[in-house]
Amino acid sequence: MKVLVVGSGGREHAICWAVSRNKSVKELYCAPGNGGISEVAEIVKIGSENLNELLDFALNKKIDLTIVGPENPLSLGIVDLFRKNHLLIFGPNEYSSQLESSKEFSKLFMDKYGVPTATFSSFTDFDSAKRYVNKHSLPVVIKANGLAAGKGVKVCNSYDEANIFLQSLMEDKIFSKSGEKVVVESFLDGEEASFFVFTDGQTILPLDSSQDHKRLLDDDMGPNTGGMGAYSPAPIIDSETRENIMNEIVGPVFDGFKKEGIDYTGILYIGLMIKNKKPKVVEFNCRFGDPEAQPLLYRMQSDIFELFYKTAKKELKDYVLQWKNSFSVTVVLASKGYPEKSNLGGTISQLSN
Ligand code: AMP
Ligand code: GLY
């Protein structure tokens, strides 16, 4: 088997590591990869958003399975493009990936199918957004509608903070088109956790729980980041909470997919806020979490290549996922300045296994 993994983060390193353990995987490529990944896969110098170059590479090499790590290529339609060219690829198509790439799309979907989440309104007009926000109770949550590398959301504790963020999104356009529309939400109180399901469109395979920690500093201090570490399992998702997640969220979401004709294949990431065992959805993502993928993949006993392959082939029926009866944790080391402005290109040395 020849496998191509698209992406360059810790998540893609974990995916490459896990996939490389299957003996039938004879060639493993990662585009654009990173220094660590080069230990387990051959690095291909194509950016994850260069869809046509990725397609040419996959066709030339006769890749058997492409696994997409990050959200950007999904939202640009890599899955549609590869399928049109008869290549097997893991991930949702462009239409379905709007669940992540448009906050408004996902909120309207949740509203329609009774999925518990924060109340919201969306705006394209700055003055209307401002009027609404300044009458909203505090804290008020303001979100850029489109993708913004995890930086497009602010939980605002004062109207000054809210007005400044609105201005930067809608007038100064710091996230260009992504912030032209904003979603304004009420604040959800509780503890956050991440819940993932693999699905081939018919069968739903929920994973064990995991939790990432978003604040930069110890003791939940400092700004939100993409995640400073994660562990699995997450004690907050006990069996009762898990049942509530399955019945109140996963069930209605997949009913909604059926009714809307959404053929969702890949991983659905459900970002949750949990209070008194009652989960509410903070967001959907259309891919594995980074860093949650790292501790989850480490704990999987099953053959992970087979899991990705069967999902993409729509052969998940009767698949039983096995877990190691263990705990795992990932700690993120970030370069100075993260998440505001990181120093890039430094050398990491003296690493040992
Ligand atoms: P999102 O990109 O929508 O997941 O938002 C990023 C982060 O902002 C989340 O992980 C939460 O920490 C926080 N957040 C987003 N929406 C809300 C909300 N309605 N209530 C409380 N916190 C939120
Ligand atoms: N760990 C958060 C994310 O992957 O979006």
Side-chain angles (χ1 to χ4, degrees), residues 212 226 269 285 287 289-292:
D212 80 330
Y269 169 152
N285 295 317
R287 39 139 188 114
D290 189 350
E292 296 96 315

Side-chain angles (χ1 to χ4, degrees), residues 126-127 129-135 138 140 142 154 156 158-172:
F126 177 59
D127 291 325
K130 222 173 148 179
R131 270 196 302 277
Y132 181 83
V133 161
N134 285 282
K135 280 194 203 138
L138 293 174
V140 58
I142 299 177
K154 201 167 193 93
C156 303
S158 73
Y159 294 114
D160 277 353
E161 199 182 359
N163 288 327
I164 291 168
F165 192 55
L166 260 189
Q167 160 94 27
S168 66
L169 292 179
M170 300 186 86
E171 298 277 281
D172 307 340

Side-chain angles (χ1 to χ4, degrees), residues 100 103 107 117-119 139-144 149-155 184-190 192 212 214-215 224-225 269 271-273 281-285 287:
E100 174 164 5
K103 302 265 187 213
K107 296 296 288 189
T117 186
T119 54
V140 58
V141 184
I142 299 177
K143 302 184 171 186
K151 293 186 186 162
V153 174
K154 201 167 193 93
V155 178
V184 181
E185 275 186 23
S186 53
F187 177 75
L188 294 174
D189 191 21
E192 280 187 80
D212 80 330
K214 292 197 159 59
R215 297 297 197 97
N224 262 357
T225 69
Y269 169 152
L272 297 167
M273 191 68 82
V281 176
V282 175
E283 63 166 348
F284 289 125
N285 295 317
R287 39 139 188 114

Side-chain angles (χ1 to χ4, degrees), residues 11-287:
R11 165 184 52 208
E12 288 73 27
H13 191 171
I15 292 171
C16 286
W17 168 81
V19 165
S20 70
R21 297 162 81 88
N22 181 306
K23 295 277 176 285
S24 70
V25 176
K26 301 290 182 213
E27 293 177 34
L28 176 59
Y29 302 95
C30 187
N34 65 37
I37 294 174
S38 66
E39 290 183 355
V40 283
E42 193 174 315
I43 299 300
V44 180
K45 286 195 174 142
I46 304 176
S48 58
E49 292 173 30
N50 289 343
L51 304 195
N52 288 322
E53 280 187 52
L54 290 169
L55 174 68
D56 286 346
F57 177 84
L59 287 170
N60 282 336
K61 288 280 181 195
K62 298 191 168 49
I63 295 291
D64 296 295
L65 174 67
T66 299
I67 301 170
V68 187
E71 61 276 20
N72 280 344
L74 295 170
S75 74
L76 292 171
I78 190 171
V79 169
D80 312 64
L81 181 68
F82 273 47
R83 287 197 185 136
K84 214 183 292 164
N85 287 276
H86 311 289
L87 288 166
L88 188 64
I89 184 161
F90 177 95
N93 59 19
E94 183 178 352
Y95 183 79
S96 319
S97 59
Q98 286 180 92
L99 281 172
E100 174 164 5
S101 64
S102 166
K103 302 265 187 213
E104 186 190 41
F105 180 93
S106 82
K107 296 296 288 189
L108 290 171
F109 177 85
M110 285 189 258
D111 208 32
K112 189 165 175 188
Y113 292 101
V115 178
T117 186
T119 54
F120 78 103
S121 282
S122 51
F123 300 89
T124 45
D125 176 61
F126 177 59
D127 291 325
S128 315
K130 222 173 148 179
R131 270 196 302 277
Y132 181 83
V133 161
N134 285 282
K135 280 194 203 138
H136 200 287
S137 57
L138 293 174
V140 58
V141 184
I142 299 177
K143 302 184 171 186
N145 181 57
L147 296 176
K151 293 186 186 162
V153 174
K154 201 167 193 93
V155 178
C156 303
N157 289 301
S158 73
Y159 294 114
D160 277 353
E161 199 182 359
N163 288 327
I164 291 168
F165 192 55
L166 260 189
Q167 160 94 27
S168 66
L169 292 179
M170 300 186 86
E171 298 277 281
D172 307 340
K173 300 193 193 307
I174 56 168
F175 298 120
S176 56
K177 272 189 154 333
S178 285
E180 282 178 357
K181 184 181 278 180
V182 296
V183 168
V184 181
E185 275 186 23
S186 53
F187 177 75
L188 294 174
D189 191 21
E191 190 170 338
E192 280 187 80
S194 314
F195 196 78
F196 298 90
V197 297
F198 272 70
T199 179
D200 60 4
Q202 279 113 37
T203 302
I204 303 165
L205 205 62
L207 303 192
D208 255 12
S209 59
S210 62
Q211 194 172 21
D212 80 330
H213 284 263
K214 292 197 159 59
R215 297 297 197 97
L216 181 70
L217 306 172
D218 287 348
D219 302 319
D220 262 346
M221 305 291 275
N224 262 357
T225 69
M228 295 307 296
Y231 50 73
S232 171
I236 176 94
I237 302 186
D238 59 13
S239 57
E240 187 183 338
T241 308
R242 189 179 171 89
E243 214 175 299
N244 291 340
I245 295 168
M246 292 306 292
N247 294 336
E248 293 164 22
I249 295 173
V250 176
V253 164
F254 280 84
D255 282 350
F257 285 172
K258 261 193 212 121
K259 289 191 181 122
E260 298 286 318
I262 294 179
D263 179 22
Y264 195 103
T265 310
I267 294 171
L268 181 67
Y269 169 152
I270 308 174
L272 297 167
M273 191 68 82
I274 299 170
K275 193 171 183 196
N276 300 330
K277 301 186 191 289
K278 284 289 185 192
K280 289 190 176 173
V281 176
V282 175
E283 63 166 348
F284 289 125
N285 295 317
C286 294
R287 39 139 188 114

